[in-house]
């Protein structure tokens, strides 16, 4: 939300652009650092000379918002909220909200299909977290929370949960028989 407050939209939030870094004051001693602002967009309307062409598609299809799928000129800070929703969905369920045979199929799903409900794929995810992520994935960007509101709500939900409740799906462990 610091970038958004400065009028910058990342436009390519994805696992490869996130890194955990040590931070002594952060809960758990680590925080997420966002990398690669290579296709970031300035949102200030006075910067007409540096605006991206409306029909240019930029980003990683698995994590692109519907408005981003329609063209780079339509994005604002809510596009990053949607992308973060895709990342959280994948962290909770083990798969992104939309998969397809190619980029065109994935883009069509972002535009026209609703994701499978999180609790259908991961029944142990608390309903308030699933609800927040689904609101972040709404097709109508005006209905999505701001990044600040989403972060505040997620923090409040997590702080209210018991530490014993599993939030993220972990890969099944395989037993290895010593031969």
């Amino acid at each position: 939300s610091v970038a958004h407050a400065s009028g910058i939209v990342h436009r390519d939030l994805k696992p490869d652009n996130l890194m955990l870094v040590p931070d002594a004051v952060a809960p758990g001693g680590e925080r997420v650092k966002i990398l690669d602002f290579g296709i970031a967009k300035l949102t200030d309307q006075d910067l007409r000379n540096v605006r991206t062409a409306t029909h240019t598609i930029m980003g990683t299809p698995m994590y692109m918002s519907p408005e981003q799928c329609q063209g780079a000129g339509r994005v604002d800070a809510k596009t990053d909220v949607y992308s973060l929703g895709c990342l959280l969905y994948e962290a909770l369920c083990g798969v992104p909200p939309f998969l397809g045979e190619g980029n065109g199929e994935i883009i069509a799903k972002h535009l026209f299909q609703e994701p499978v409900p999180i609790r259908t794929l991961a029944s142990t995810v608390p309903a308030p977290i699933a609800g927040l992520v689904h609101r972040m994935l709404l097709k109508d960007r005006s209905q999505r929370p701001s990044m600040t509101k989403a972060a505040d709500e997620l923090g409040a939900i997590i702080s209210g949960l018991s530490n014993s409740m599993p939030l993220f799906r972990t890969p099944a462990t395989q037993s290895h028989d010593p031969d």
Side-chain angles (χ1 to χ4, degrees):
S1 70
V2 172
H4 292 170
S6 300
I8 299 171
V9 178
H10 189 281
R11 296 193 305 177
D12 199 22
L13 289 181
K14 60 184 178 182
D16 290 350
N17 288 341
L18 302 175
M19 176 189 295
L20 285 177
V21 296
D23 185 340
V25 297
E30 294 180 321
R31 67 178 167 85
V32 176
K33 183 174 185 174
I34 300 172
L35 308 173
D36 193 2
F37 279 80
I39 67 167
K41 178 180 179 177
L42 298 169
T43 58
D44 188 336
Q45 294 303 313
D46 292 330
L47 299 172
R48 286 170 179 60
N49 294 333
V50 294
R51 289 174 57 177
T52 305
T54 301
H55 300 293
T56 303
I57 294 178
M58 302 180 94
T60 303
M62 274 196 293
Y63 307 100
M64 287 171 41
S65 67
E67 61 273 15
Q68 193 174 8
C69 290
Q70 293 173 338
R74 299 176 175 260
V75 302
D76 62 15
K78 297 281 184 94
T79 205
D80 287 344
V81 172
Y82 185 94
S83 296
L84 180 59
C86 290
L87 289 166
L88 291 172
Y89 186 102
E90 184 173 1
L92 294 166
C93 299
V95 294
F98 302 111
L99 294 171
E101 292 296 317
N103 290 342
E105 186 178 342
I106 295 169
I107 287 170
K109 288 179 179 182
H110 282 293
L111 290 168
F112 305 112
Q113 188 174 318
E114 295 302 322
V116 173
I118 290 170
R119 290 173 51 92
T120 299
L121 298 175
S123 62
T124 61
V125 173
I129 290 179
L132 172 60
V133 173
H134 281 291
R135 286 195 315 280
M136 294 171 76
L137 293 174
L138 290 171
K139 305 295 184 203
D140 180 354
R141 68 179 166 201
S142 70
Q143 299 300 309
R144 288 181 218 140
S146 68
M147 188 66 78
T148 300
K149 183 167 175 41
D152 289 348
E153 187 174 338
L154 184 60
I157 292 168
I158 290 173
S159 69
L161 293 174
S162 164
N163 290 337
S164 64
M165 186 175 286
L167 294 180
F168 297 99
R169 185 179 172 165
T170 57
T173 57
Q174 296 177 348
S175 61
H176 298 284
D177 294 330
D179 291 300

